[in-house]
PDB file of all heavy atoms in Angstrom:
ATOM      1  N   ASP I   1     100.613  98.402  89.940  1.00 98.00           N
ATOM      2  CA  ASP I   1      99.598  99.044  89.132  1.00 98.00           C
ATOM      3  C   ASP I   1     100.092 100.379  88.556  1.00 98.00           C
ATOM      4  O   ASP I   1      99.840 100.699  87.381  1.00 98.00           O
ATOM      5  CB  ASP I   1      98.327  99.258  89.933  1.00 98.00           C
ATOM      6  CG  ASP I   1      97.555  97.964  90.182  1.00 98.00           C
ATOM      7  OD1 ASP I   1      97.841  96.998  89.468  1.00 98.00           O
ATOM      8  OD2 ASP I   1      96.693  97.952  91.071  1.00 98.00           O
ATOM      9  N   ARG I   2     100.749 101.172  89.406  1.00 98.00           N
ATOM     10  CA  ARG I   2     101.205 102.471  88.954  1.00 98.00           C
ATOM     11  C   ARG I   2     102.397 102.376  88.039  1.00 98.00           C
ATOM     12  O   ARG I   2     102.505 103.152  87.064  1.00 98.00           O
ATOM     13  CB  ARG I   2     101.449 103.386  90.176  1.00 98.00           C
ATOM     14  CG  ARG I   2     100.186 104.048  90.672  1.00 98.00           C
ATOM     15  CD  ARG I   2     100.252 104.523  92.082  1.00 98.00           C
ATOM     16  NE  ARG I   2      99.139 105.451  92.405  1.00 98.00           N
ATOM     17  CZ  ARG I   2      97.855 105.128  92.405  1.00 98.00           C
ATOM     18  NH1 ARG I   2      97.458 103.905  92.092  1.00 98.00           N
ATOM     19  NH2 ARG I   2      96.931 106.059  92.747  1.00 98.00           N
ATOM     20  N   VAL I   3     103.303 101.441  88.316  1.00 98.00           N
ATOM     21  CA  VAL I   3     104.425 101.255  87.405  1.00 98.00           C
ATOM     22  C   VAL I   3     103.947 100.828  86.035  1.00 98.00           C
ATOM     23  O   VAL I   3     104.440 101.333  85.006  1.00 98.00           O
ATOM     24  CB  VAL I   3     105.409 100.193  87.972  1.00 98.00           C
ATOM     25  CG1 VAL I   3     106.437  99.794  86.948  1.00 98.00           C
ATOM     26  CG2 VAL I   3     106.127 100.732  89.237  1.00 98.00           C
ATOM     27  N   ARG I   4     102.985  99.907  86.005  1.00 98.00           N
ATOM     28  CA  ARG I   4     102.447  99.455  84.726  1.00 98.00           C
ATOM     29  C   ARG I   4     101.900 100.618  83.893  1.00 98.00           C
ATOM     30  O   ARG I   4     102.147 100.662  82.670  1.00 98.00           O
ATOM     31  CB  ARG I   4     101.325  98.428  85.003  1.00 98.00           C
ATOM     32  CG  ARG I   4     100.784  97.759  83.727  1.00 98.00           C
ATOM     33  CD  ARG I   4      99.630  96.866  84.045  1.00 98.00           C
ATOM     34  NE  ARG I   4      99.991  95.809  84.970  1.00 98.00           N
ATOM     35  CZ  ARG I   4      99.502  95.653  86.184  1.00 98.00           C
ATOM     36  NH1 ARG I   4      98.600  96.519  86.638  1.00 98.00           N
ATOM     37  NH2 ARG I   4      99.878  94.627  86.964  1.00 98.00           N
ATOM     38  N   ARG I   5     101.259 101.550  84.520  1.00 98.00           N
ATOM     39  CA  ARG I   5     100.735 102.726  83.785  1.00 98.00           C
ATOM     40  C   ARG I   5     101.827 103.564  83.239  1.00 98.00           C
ATOM     41  O   ARG I   5     101.770 104.017  82.098  1.00 98.00           O
ATOM     42  CB  ARG I   5      99.804 103.533  84.748  1.00 98.00           C
ATOM     43  CG  ARG I   5      99.266 104.799  84.090  1.00 98.00           C
ATOM     44  CD  ARG I   5      98.460 104.463  82.821  1.00 98.00           C
ATOM     45  NE  ARG I   5      98.180 105.686  82.083  1.00 98.00           N
ATOM     46  CZ  ARG I   5      98.249 105.774  80.737  1.00 98.00           C
ATOM     47  NH1 ARG I   5      98.535 104.679  80.010  1.00 98.00           N
ATOM     48  NH2 ARG I   5      97.957 106.875  80.128  1.00 98.00           N
ATOM     49  N   LEU I   6     102.896 103.824  83.989  1.00 98.00           N
ATOM     50  CA  LEU I   6     104.007 104.620  83.501  1.00 98.00           C
ATOM     51  C   LEU I   6     104.728 103.918  82.340  1.00 98.00           C
ATOM     52  O   LEU I   6     105.156 104.586  81.372  1.00 98.00           O
ATOM     53  CB  LEU I   6     104.996 104.911  84.648  1.00 98.00           C
ATOM     54  CG  LEU I   6     104.446 105.712  85.814  1.00 98.00           C
ATOM     55  CD1 LEU I   6     105.545 106.017  86.834  1.00 98.00           C
ATOM     56  CD2 LEU I   6     103.800 107.022  85.322  1.00 98.00           C
ATOM     57  N   VAL I   7     104.856 102.617  82.426  1.00 98.00           N
ATOM     58  CA  VAL I   7     105.469 101.873  81.335  1.00 98.00           C
ATOM     59  C   VAL I   7     104.591 101.958  80.051  1.00 98.00           C
ATOM     60  O   VAL I   7     105.110 102.128  78.961  1.00 98.00           O
ATOM     61  CB  VAL I   7     105.691 100.397  81.731  1.00 98.00           C
ATOM     62  CG1 VAL I   7     106.167  99.557  80.542  1.00 98.00           C
ATOM     63  CG2 VAL I   7     106.745 100.309  82.854  1.00 98.00           C
ATOM     64  N   GLU I   8     103.276 101.873  80.258  1.00 98.00           N
ATOM     65  CA  GLU I   8     102.387 102.024  79.124  1.00 98.00           C
ATOM     66  C   GLU I   8     102.579 103.369  78.426  1.00 98.00           C
ATOM     67  O   GLU I   8     102.544 103.474  77.179  1.00 98.00           O
ATOM     68  CB  GLU I   8     100.944 101.878  79.595  1.00 98.00           C
ATOM     69  CG  GLU I   8     100.554 100.453  79.941  1.00 98.00           C
ATOM     70  CD  GLU I   8      99.153 100.403  80.525  1.00 98.00           C
ATOM     71  OE1 GLU I   8      98.547 101.468  80.785  1.00 98.00           O
ATOM     72  OE2 GLU I   8      98.649  99.292  80.775  1.00 98.00           O
ATOM     73  N   ILE I   9     102.739 104.420  79.191  1.00 98.00           N
ATOM     74  CA  ILE I   9     102.945 105.775  78.623  1.00 98.00           C
ATOM     75  C   ILE I   9     104.250 105.758  77.772  1.00 98.00           C
ATOM     76  O   ILE I   9     104.245 106.299  76.671  1.00 98.00           O
ATOM     77  CB  ILE I   9     103.029 106.845  79.742  1.00 98.00           C
ATOM     78  CG1 ILE I   9     101.651 106.962  80.397  1.00 98.00           C
ATOM     79  CG2 ILE I   9     103.462 108.164  79.186  1.00 98.00           C
ATOM     80  CD1 ILE I   9     101.649 107.856  81.618  1.00 98.00           C
ATOM     81  N   CYS I  10     105.312 105.151  78.294  1.00 98.00           N
ATOM     82  CA  CYS I  10     106.532 105.058  77.560  1.00 98.00           C
ATOM     83  C   CYS I  10     106.385 104.300  76.268  1.00 98.00           C
ATOM     84  O   CYS I  10     106.833 104.751  75.189  1.00 98.00           O
ATOM     85  CB  CYS I  10     107.648 104.415  78.421  1.00 98.00           C
ATOM     86  SG  CYS I  10     108.163 105.385  79.870  1.00 98.00           S
ATOM     87  N   HIS I  11     105.733 103.161  76.366  1.00 98.00           N
ATOM     88  CA  HIS I  11     105.571 102.324  75.173  1.00 98.00           C
ATOM     89  C   HIS I  11     104.646 103.008  74.157  1.00 98.00           C
ATOM     90  O   HIS I  11     104.903 102.888  72.932  1.00 98.00           O
ATOM     91  CB  HIS I  11     104.989 100.966  75.580  1.00 98.00           C
ATOM     92  CG  HIS I  11     105.929 100.097  76.294  1.00 98.00           C
ATOM     93  ND1 HIS I  11     105.580  98.900  76.896  1.00 98.00           N
ATOM     94  CD2 HIS I  11     107.250 100.237  76.506  1.00 98.00           C
ATOM     95  CE1 HIS I  11     106.630  98.332  77.423  1.00 98.00           C
ATOM     96  NE2 HIS I  11     107.680  99.116  77.201  1.00 98.00           N
ATOM     97  N   ASP I  12     103.643 103.706  74.610  1.00 98.00           N
ATOM     98  CA  ASP I  12     102.775 104.415  73.662  1.00 98.00           C
ATOM     99  C   ASP I  12     103.528 105.498  72.888  1.00 98.00           C
ATOM    100  O   ASP I  12     103.153 105.861  71.773  1.00 98.00           O
ATOM    101  CB  ASP I  12     101.597 105.053  74.401  1.00 98.00           C
ATOM    102  CG  ASP I  12     100.597 104.033  74.914  1.00 98.00           C
ATOM    103  OD1 ASP I  12     100.648 102.889  74.462  1.00 98.00           O
ATOM    104  OD2 ASP I  12      99.764 104.393  75.775  1.00 98.00           O
ATOM    105  N   LYS I  13     104.605 105.994  73.496  1.00 98.00           N
ATOM    106  CA  LYS I  13     105.415 107.023  72.835  1.00 98.00           C
ATOM    107  C   LYS I  13     106.645 106.427  72.116  1.00 98.00           C
ATOM    108  O   LYS I  13     107.503 107.144  71.659  1.00 98.00           O
ATOM    109  CB  LYS I  13     105.953 108.007  73.892  1.00 98.00           C
ATOM    110  CG  LYS I  13     104.873 108.739  74.678  1.00 98.00           C
ATOM    111  CD  LYS I  13     104.214 109.838  73.900  1.00 98.00           C
ATOM    112  CE  LYS I  13     103.249 110.629  74.734  1.00 98.00           C
ATOM    113  NZ  LYS I  13     102.588 111.725  74.000  1.00 98.00           N
ATOM    114  N   GLY I  14     106.638 105.072  72.035  1.00 98.00           N
ATOM    115  CA  GLY I  14     107.690 104.401  71.260  1.00 98.00           C
ATOM    116  C   GLY I  14     109.004 104.314  71.999  1.00 98.00           C
ATOM    117  O   GLY I  14     110.095 104.177  71.367  1.00 98.00           O
ATOM    118  N   ARG I  15     109.014 104.322  73.344  1.00 97.00           N
ATOM    119  CA  ARG I  15     110.244 104.251  74.126  1.00 97.00           C
ATOM    120  C   ARG I  15     110.264 102.970  74.962  1.00 97.00           C
ATOM    121  O   ARG I  15     109.247 102.410  75.311  1.00 97.00           O
ATOM    122  CB  ARG I  15     110.376 105.460  75.090  1.00 97.00           C
ATOM    123  CG  ARG I  15     109.931 106.790  74.464  1.00 97.00           C
ATOM    124  CD  ARG I  15     110.770 107.181  73.293  1.00 97.00           C
ATOM    125  NE  ARG I  15     110.216 108.367  72.648  1.00 97.00           N
ATOM    126  CZ  ARG I  15     110.352 109.608  73.107  1.00 97.00           C
ATOM    127  NH1 ARG I  15     111.054 109.859  74.190  1.00 97.00           N
ATOM    128  NH2 ARG I  15     109.797 110.637  72.439  1.00 97.00           N
ATOM    129  N   GLU I  16     111.457 102.592  75.340  1.00 97.00           N
ATOM    130  CA  GLU I  16     111.639 101.498  76.285  1.00 97.00           C
ATOM    131  C   GLU I  16     111.582 102.067  77.706  1.00 97.00           C
ATOM    132  O   GLU I  16     111.890 103.251  77.903  1.00 97.00           O
ATOM    133  CB  GLU I  16     112.954 100.788  76.062  1.00 97.00           C
ATOM    134  CG  GLU I  16     113.055  99.973  74.763  1.00 97.00           C
ATOM    135  CD  GLU I  16     114.344  99.225  74.657  1.00 97.00           C
ATOM    136  OE1 GLU I  16     115.024  98.995  75.695  1.00 97.00           O
ATOM    137  OE2 GLU I  16     114.737  98.870  73.544  1.00 97.00           O
ATOM    138  N   ALA I  17     111.289 101.213  78.667  1.00 98.00           N
ATOM    139  CA  ALA I  17     111.240 101.625  80.083  1.00 98.00           C
ATOM    140  C   ALA I  17     112.184 100.706  80.844  1.00 98.00           C
ATOM    141  O   ALA I  17     112.057  99.468  80.822  1.00 98.00           O
ATOM    142  CB  ALA I  17     109.838 101.517  80.630  1.00 98.00           C
ATOM    143  N   MET I  18     113.146 101.320  81.566  1.00 97.00           N
ATOM    144  CA  MET I  18     114.109 100.597  82.333  1.00 97.00           C
ATOM    145  C   MET I  18     113.990 101.032  83.804  1.00 97.00           C
ATOM    146  O   MET I  18     113.812 102.213  84.106  1.00 97.00           O
ATOM    147  CB  MET I  18     115.499 100.915  81.798  1.00 97.00           C
ATOM    148  CG  MET I  18     116.662 100.438  82.695  1.00 97.00           C
ATOM    149  SD  MET I  18     118.304 100.904  82.060  1.00 97.00           S
ATOM    150  CE  MET I  18     118.534  99.605  80.861  1.00 97.00           C
ATOM    151  N   MET I  19     114.134 100.055  84.670  1.00 96.00           N
ATOM    152  CA  MET I  19     114.104 100.332  86.117  1.00 96.00           C
ATOM    153  C   MET I  19     115.488 100.211  86.716  1.00 96.00           C
ATOM    154  O   MET I  19     116.209  99.255  86.452  1.00 96.00           O
ATOM    155  CB  MET I  19     113.148  99.332  86.808  1.00 96.00           C
ATOM    156  CG  MET I  19     113.305  99.292  88.335  1.00 96.00           C
ATOM    157  SD  MET I  19     112.242  98.015  89.039  1.00 96.00           S
ATOM    158  CE  MET I  19     113.178  97.601  90.500  1.00 96.00           C
ATOM    159  N   PHE I  20     115.857 101.217  87.510  1.00 95.00           N
ATOM    160  CA  PHE I  20     117.114 101.110  88.291  1.00 95.00           C
ATOM    161  C   PHE I  20     116.805 100.379  89.600  1.00 95.00           C
ATOM    162  O   PHE I  20     115.891 100.780  90.334  1.00 95.00           O
ATOM    163  CB  PHE I  20     117.653 102.507  88.586  1.00 95.00           C
ATOM    164  CG  PHE I  20     118.844 102.518  89.543  1.00 95.00           C
ATOM    165  CD1 PHE I  20     119.992 101.798  89.200  1.00 95.00           C
ATOM    166  CD2 PHE I  20     118.802 103.191  90.718  1.00 95.00           C
ATOM    167  CE1 PHE I  20     121.073 101.769  90.043  1.00 95.00           C
ATOM    168  CE2 PHE I  20     119.893 103.160  91.583  1.00 95.00           C
ATOM    169  CZ  PHE I  20     121.054 102.471  91.257  1.00 95.00           C
ATOM    170  N   LEU I  21     117.515  99.307  89.863  1.00 94.00           N
ATOM    171  CA  LEU I  21     117.313  98.523  91.077  1.00 94.00           C
ATOM    172  C   LEU I  21     118.036  99.217  92.221  1.00 94.00           C
ATOM    173  O   LEU I  21     119.132  98.870  92.591  1.00 94.00           O
ATOM    174  CB  LEU I  21     117.844  97.114  90.892  1.00 94.00           C
ATOM    175  CG  LEU I  21     117.499  96.093  91.979  1.00 94.00           C
ATOM    176  CD1 LEU I  21     116.008  95.833  91.944  1.00 94.00           C
ATOM    177  CD2 LEU I  21     118.241  94.792  91.799  1.00 94.00           C
ATOM    178  N   GLY I  22     117.348 100.234  92.790  1.00 90.00           N
ATOM    179  CA  GLY I  22     117.922 100.989  93.851  1.00 90.00           C
ATOM    180  C   GLY I  22     117.041 102.193  94.151  1.00 90.00           C
ATOM    181  O   GLY I  22     115.972 102.321  93.556  1.00 90.00           O
ATOM    182  N   ASP I  23     117.485 103.116  95.025  1.00 90.00           N
ATOM    183  CA  ASP I  23     116.760 104.304  95.362  1.00 90.00           C
ATOM    184  C   ASP I  23     115.299 103.969  95.764  1.00 90.00           C
ATOM    185  O   ASP I  23     115.063 103.338  96.790  1.00 90.00           O
ATOM    186  CB  ASP I  23     116.770 105.333  94.187  1.00 90.00           C
ATOM    187  CG  ASP I  23     118.147 105.873  93.893  1.00 90.00           C
ATOM    188  OD1 ASP I  23     119.110 105.309  94.452  1.00 90.00           O
ATOM    189  OD2 ASP I  23     118.267 106.772  93.097  1.00 90.00           O
ATOM    190  N   ASN I  24     114.342 104.345  94.957  1.00 94.00           N
ATOM    191  CA  ASN I  24     112.899 104.162  95.298  1.00 94.00           C
ATOM    192  C   ASN I  24     112.334 102.906  94.702  1.00 94.00           C
ATOM    193  O   ASN I  24     111.264 102.874  94.085  1.00 94.00           O
ATOM    194  CB  ASN I  24     112.101 105.374  94.819  1.00 94.00           C
ATOM    195  CG  ASN I  24     112.565 106.697  95.449  1.00 94.00           C
ATOM    196  OD1 ASN I  24     113.724 107.099  95.281  1.00 94.00           O
ATOM    197  ND2 ASN I  24     111.704 107.325  96.165  1.00 94.00           N
ATOM    198  N   TRP I  25     113.024 101.779  94.930  1.00 96.00           N
ATOM    199  CA  TRP I  25     112.606 100.502  94.289  1.00 96.00           C
ATOM    200  C   TRP I  25     111.611  99.715  95.136  1.00 96.00           C
ATOM    201  O   TRP I  25     111.059  98.712  94.665  1.00 96.00           O
ATOM    202  CB  TRP I  25     113.843  99.657  93.970  1.00 96.00           C
ATOM    203  CG  TRP I  25     114.415  98.947  95.167  1.00 96.00           C
ATOM    204  CD1 TRP I  25     115.076  99.524  96.232  1.00 96.00           C
ATOM    205  CD2 TRP I  25     114.413  97.557  95.428  1.00 96.00           C
ATOM    206  NE1 TRP I  25     115.472  98.554  97.122  1.00 96.00           N
ATOM    207  CE2 TRP I  25     115.066  97.338  96.652  1.00 96.00           C
ATOM    208  CE3 TRP I  25     113.933  96.466  94.744  1.00 96.00           C
ATOM    209  CZ2 TRP I  25     115.270  96.081  97.213  1.00 96.00           C
ATOM    210  CZ3 TRP I  25     114.114  95.172  95.299  1.00 96.00           C
ATOM    211  CH2 TRP I  25     114.779  95.006  96.482  1.00 96.00           C
ATOM    212  N   ILE I  26     111.353 100.169  96.364  1.00 97.00           N
ATOM    213  CA  ILE I  26     110.497  99.375  97.279  1.00 97.00           C
ATOM    214  C   ILE I  26     109.087  99.246  96.683  1.00 97.00           C
ATOM    215  O   ILE I  26     108.476 100.216  96.216  1.00 97.00           O
ATOM    216  CB  ILE I  26     110.476 100.053  98.651  1.00 97.00           C
ATOM    217  CG1 ILE I  26     111.839  99.942  99.308  1.00 97.00           C
ATOM    218  CG2 ILE I  26     109.406  99.419  99.550  1.00 97.00           C
ATOM    219  CD1 ILE I  26     112.363  98.529  99.476  1.00 97.00           C
ATOM    220  N   GLY I  27     108.585  98.038  96.771  1.00 97.00           N
ATOM    221  CA  GLY I  27     107.249  97.744  96.240  1.00 97.00           C
ATOM    222  C   GLY I  27     107.253  97.121  94.872  1.00 97.00           C
ATOM    223  O   GLY I  27     106.265  96.552  94.434  1.00 97.00           O
ATOM    224  N   THR I  28     108.412  97.138  94.191  1.00 97.00           N
ATOM    225  CA  THR I  28     108.436  96.531  92.873  1.00 97.00           C
ATOM    226  C   THR I  28     108.633  95.030  92.918  1.00 97.00           C
ATOM    227  O   THR I  28     108.116  94.312  92.092  1.00 97.00           O
ATOM    228  CB  THR I  28     109.586  97.102  92.023  1.00 97.00           C
ATOM    229  OG1 THR I  28     110.845  96.890  92.674  1.00 97.00           O
ATOM    230  CG2 THR I  28     109.398  98.601  91.791  1.00 97.00           C
ATOM    231  N   GLU I  29     109.342  94.542  93.927  1.00 97.00           N
ATOM    232  CA  GLU I  29     109.560  93.091  94.158  1.00 97.00           C
ATOM    233  C   GLU I  29     109.890  92.372  92.827  1.00 97.00           C
ATOM    234  O   GLU I  29     109.086  91.592  92.299  1.00 97.00           O
ATOM    235  CB  GLU I  29     108.332  92.458  94.819  1.00 97.00           C
ATOM    236  CG  GLU I  29     108.048  93.002  96.223  1.00 97.00           C
ATOM    237  CD  GLU I  29     109.245  92.716  97.197  1.00 97.00           C
ATOM    238  OE1 GLU I  29     109.875  91.661  97.072  1.00 97.00           O
ATOM    239  OE2 GLU I  29     109.469  93.580  98.044  1.00 97.00           O
ATOM    240  N   PRO I  30     111.120  92.584  92.312  1.00 97.00           N
ATOM    241  CA  PRO I  30     111.468  92.038  90.993  1.00 97.00           C
ATOM    242  C   PRO I  30     111.354  90.504  90.886  1.00 97.00           C
ATOM    243  O   PRO I  30     111.230  89.976  89.799  1.00 97.00           O
ATOM    244  CB  PRO I  30     112.910  92.491  90.823  1.00 97.00           C
ATOM    245  CG  PRO I  30     113.032  93.687  91.656  1.00 97.00           C
ATOM    246  CD  PRO I  30     112.167  93.453  92.823  1.00 97.00           C
ATOM    247  N   TYR I  31     111.436  89.796  92.012  1.00 96.00           N
ATOM    248  CA  TYR I  31     111.314  88.364  91.938  1.00 96.00           C
ATOM    249  C   TYR I  31     109.894  87.874  92.363  1.00 96.00           C
ATOM    250  O   TYR I  31     109.674  86.674  92.518  1.00 96.00           O
ATOM    251  CB  TYR I  31     112.356  87.690  92.857  1.00 96.00           C
ATOM    252  CG  TYR I  31     113.725  87.689  92.247  1.00 96.00           C
ATOM    253  CD1 TYR I  31     114.605  88.773  92.392  1.00 96.00           C
ATOM    254  CD2 TYR I  31     114.154  86.630  91.410  1.00 96.00           C
ATOM    255  CE1 TYR I  31     115.872  88.776  91.817  1.00 96.00           C
ATOM    256  CE2 TYR I  31     115.387  86.657  90.803  1.00 96.00           C
ATOM    257  CZ  TYR I  31     116.225  87.716  91.040  1.00 96.00           C
ATOM    258  OH  TYR I  31     117.475  87.740  90.427  1.00 96.00           O
ATOM    259  N   GLY I  32     108.994  88.815  92.457  1.00 96.00           N
ATOM    260  CA  GLY I  32     107.609  88.499  92.795  1.00 96.00           C
ATOM    261  C   GLY I  32     106.824  88.132  91.558  1.00 96.00           C
ATOM    262  O   GLY I  32     107.226  88.296  90.414  1.00 96.00           O
ATOM    263  N   GLU I  33     105.613  87.605  91.792  1.00 95.00           N
ATOM    264  CA  GLU I  33     104.767  87.138  90.692  1.00 95.00           C
ATOM    265  C   GLU I  33     104.258  88.261  89.801  1.00 95.00           C
ATOM    266  O   GLU I  33     103.929  88.033  88.632  1.00 95.00           O
ATOM    267  CB  GLU I  33     103.564  86.369  91.262  1.00 95.00           C
ATOM    268  CG  GLU I  33     103.942  85.060  92.031  1.00 95.00           C
ATOM    269  CD  GLU I  33     102.733  84.362  92.565  1.00 95.00           C
ATOM    270  OE1 GLU I  33     101.625  84.919  92.448  1.00 95.00           O
ATOM    271  OE2 GLU I  33     102.885  83.294  93.146  1.00 95.00           O
ATOM    272  N   LEU I  34     104.178  89.489  90.329  1.00 97.00           N
ATOM    273  CA  LEU I  34     103.562  90.566  89.561  1.00 97.00           C
ATOM    274  C   LEU I  34     104.539  91.361  88.712  1.00 97.00           C
ATOM    275  O   LEU I  34     104.167  92.144  87.855  1.00 97.00           O
ATOM    276  CB  LEU I  34     102.872  91.532  90.519  1.00 97.00           C
ATOM    277  CG  LEU I  34     101.702  90.988  91.376  1.00 97.00           C
ATOM    278  CD1 LEU I  34     101.181  92.027  92.283  1.00 97.00           C
ATOM    279  CD2 LEU I  34     100.622  90.429  90.451  1.00 97.00           C
ATOM    280  N   PHE I  35     105.827  91.191  88.936  1.00 97.00           N
ATOM    281  CA  PHE I  35     106.795  92.067  88.286  1.00 97.00           C
ATOM    282  C   PHE I  35     106.707  92.045  86.772  1.00 97.00           C
ATOM    283  O   PHE I  35     106.760  93.074  86.083  1.00 97.00           O
ATOM    284  CB  PHE I  35     108.247  91.703  88.747  1.00 97.00           C
ATOM    285  CG  PHE I  35     109.262  92.700  88.264  1.00 97.00           C
ATOM    286  CD1 PHE I  35     109.338  93.948  88.775  1.00 97.00           C
ATOM    287  CD2 PHE I  35     110.187  92.341  87.255  1.00 97.00           C
ATOM    288  CE1 PHE I  35     110.307  94.878  88.330  1.00 97.00           C
ATOM    289  CE2 PHE I  35     111.141  93.226  86.830  1.00 97.00           C
ATOM    290  CZ  PHE I  35     111.180  94.500  87.361  1.00 97.00           C
TER     291      PHE I  35
END
């Protein structure tokens, strides 16, 4: 839910959003249904 909001802010400003698979990645679950 919180990642989605940050991505929306980036997109609203005309930017892409990229995630680094490391560091504070816990909870994103890239192979999960919600990613």
Side-chain angles (χ1 to χ4, degrees):
D1 286 344
R2 276 160 166 64
V3 169
R4 186 184 300 116
R5 177 58 193 140
L6 297 183
V7 172
E8 288 174 352
I9 293 172
C10 293
H11 288 172
D12 289 345
K13 301 284 186 179
R15 320 297 173 80
E16 292 183 20
M18 169 183 279
M19 165 184 151
F20 173 59
L21 191 67
D23 294 9
N24 299 62
W25 77 291
I26 292 303
T28 60
E29 295 299 325
Y31 283 88
E33 295 179 358
L34 299 178
F35 186 70

